Amino acid sequence: MRSKARKAARSGQWGEAARYYRELCKQRNPSVKDQIQLGHVLKENEDFDAALTTYLHAADTNPHYIDAQRQAGLFLKLRGYRKEAATYFARALAMDGSLSDMHDELRSVGVKDDTARDACHLRGGLTSTEVQGHAPGLLARLRMALSLRQARAAARRKAWPEAENSYRKVLKYAPGQVRFLIQLGHALREQDKADEAVDCYRRALLLTPRDPELYIHLGAALKQQGRIDSALGAYLAAWRLRPGLPAAEREIRAISGDLTDDQIADLSGAYLRMDASAPDASSLASEGGGRRRLVEKPGLDHGQGTIFRFLAGSLAYKE
């Protein structure tokens, strides 16, 4: 079927190619590459609403796949949604900070400094949905068991370089496991490698964007770098997800003074607000008569978020 899809695309038969790629994407575990190719052929067929839905779905369900973030960002930029495009370019950079094309794309949409890019990361997290990471298989667990024991033992001894090396070995076998990314970030922070720790925490946030404690860790690493405004943004994100969180309140007040809860709420809204003149990326695909998608709002606790995603999924299935 994939061969037929490619043959149809090469001959410019975009409708037929889309039909084959749709069938491929209906499989239980569809390939992200097939999803991206479906987006491409839909775009060539000028079915822009469906193309946007496809690109966003590929990016949001495969947050660690760089090209999915790249293609979603490029299409959003093409459609004129520059701020939303910046979010996906920033996600790609969270996985690989050396991507020169993504740095160029961010600058092209007006994100020209670290503080602005940090804000893109935060907005991207707060408007994302959690993705269930795949547990490592039996063989991977056996291979990483020794390194994991060594990492934990080194951390207890505060032998941070040894802990770092061991956690890196663990992540070779379990690259999508949030808890190991966080522990690697902690080991890096203890060695004053705050820039690398920030990268680890951001990679973890791609999978767990609703964990307020993770934003506290991110804020601490940014603060360690001297990026106080960006650290404040991370603490505000943590407070927005869990109002009254002591660690977030303490850090916010240490930076901004003795604010009331209402003032913190106002500051959080001002710092993290999306551009009101443009719809957020999750709802863009509903324009032009396409199917509407419910958008999960920030501030839901874990139980509320689970219920929301169940109801949203039920509605999508019904439609």
Side-chain angles (χ1 to χ4, degrees):
M1 191 178 298
R2 188 172 292 110
S3 176
K4 291 179 179 179
R6 291 170 177 169
K7 182 178 179 180
R10 283 194 294 268
S11 61
Q13 298 175 14
W14 305 117
E16 183 177 353
R19 180 166 61 84
Y20 287 125
Y21 277 121
R22 279 197 173 100
E23 289 300 319
L24 288 166
C25 291
K26 288 180 182 177
Q27 296 178 8
R28 183 174 182 180
N29 295 302
S31 163
V32 62
K33 293 182 179 180
D34 287 337
Q35 294 177 48
I36 292 172
Q37 289 301 318
L38 174 58
H40 292 342
V41 298
L42 289 169
K43 178 177 66 175
E44 294 293 342
N45 203 38
E46 299 186 357
D47 191 350
F48 298 126
D49 289 336
L52 180 55
T53 299
T54 302
Y55 283 130
L56 293 179
H57 179 74
D60 292 339
T61 56
N62 299 276
H64 280 186
Y65 196 81
I66 290 174
D67 196 47
Q69 312 309 314
R70 176 186 285 113
Q71 297 302 330
L74 290 172
F75 192 74
L76 285 165
K77 177 185 172 183
L78 179 67
R79 301 294 289 168
Y81 299 111
R82 295 163 60 87
K83 194 165 188 176
E84 289 76 10
T87 297
Y88 288 90
F89 296 146
R91 284 187 187 180
L93 286 172
M95 290 303 301
D96 185 351
S98 67
L99 296 171
S100 59
D101 64 324
M102 292 294 93
H103 283 289
D104 292 341
E105 291 294 346
L106 274 177
R107 284 190 288 269
S108 75
V109 295
V111 180
K112 299 181 179 180
D113 56 45
D114 288 340
T115 302
R117 186 166 67 247
D118 293 341
C120 289
H121 282 290
L122 290 176
R123 284 193 296 268
L126 290 171
T127 56
S128 299
T129 55
E130 293 194 17
V131 176
Q132 186 66 40
H134 295 293
L138 176 60
L139 183 58
R141 292 199 301 271
L142 291 172
R143 287 176 173 174
M144 73 185 197
L146 176 60
S147 295
L148 184 56
R149 287 197 299 270
Q150 292 172 338
R152 289 169 173 168
R156 286 193 294 269
R157 300 195 314 270
K158 298 185 179 182
W160 301 118
E162 183 181 340
E164 175 194 345
N165 291 334
S166 295
Y167 275 120
R168 289 191 187 279
K169 291 177 182 177
V170 170
L171 285 165
K172 288 182 180 179
Y173 299 109
Q177 293 299 298
V178 171
R179 64 186 187 278
F180 301 144
L181 282 167
I182 293 173
Q183 292 303 320
L184 175 58
H186 294 345
L188 291 165
R189 271 175 53 202
E190 294 290 346
Q191 299 175 77
D192 291 325
K193 298 180 179 179
D195 53 341
E196 295 179 61
V198 166
D199 292 340
C200 282
Y201 295 141
R202 282 182 175 157
R203 285 171 60 193
L205 281 171
L206 292 177
L207 290 171
T208 312
R210 294 290 190 275
D211 182 359
E213 296 292 342
L214 190 43
Y215 288 93
I216 298 294
H217 301 322
L218 174 61
L222 290 166
K223 189 176 179 180
Q224 193 172 344
Q225 287 182 302
R227 293 157 64 176
I228 303 302
D229 287 343
S230 296
L232 175 60
Y235 296 135
L236 289 169
W239 190 92
R240 185 169 180 174
L241 289 168
R242 190 181 297 170
L245 181 64
E249 284 196 16
R250 182 172 59 250
E251 294 293 345
I252 292 168
R253 287 172 175 150
I255 295 172
S256 299
D258 191 16
L259 304 177
T260 66
D261 285 356
D262 288 342
Q263 289 173 323
I264 293 176
D266 291 341
L267 183 60
S268 172
Y271 187 92
L272 300 169
R273 184 182 300 119
M274 296 291 288
D275 185 357
S277 66
D280 68 80
S282 299
S283 63
L284 296 179
S286 68
E287 296 183 356
R291 290 179 178 176
R292 301 190 64 82
R293 295 169 56 190
L294 294 178
V295 180
E296 184 177 351
K297 298 301 182 184
L300 302 183
D301 62 28
H302 179 73
Q304 291 170 329
T306 300
I307 293 169
F308 176 89
R309 288 188 290 277
F310 172 78
L311 294 174
S314 298
L315 177 61
Y317 181 81
K318 180 180 178 182
E319 290 185 349

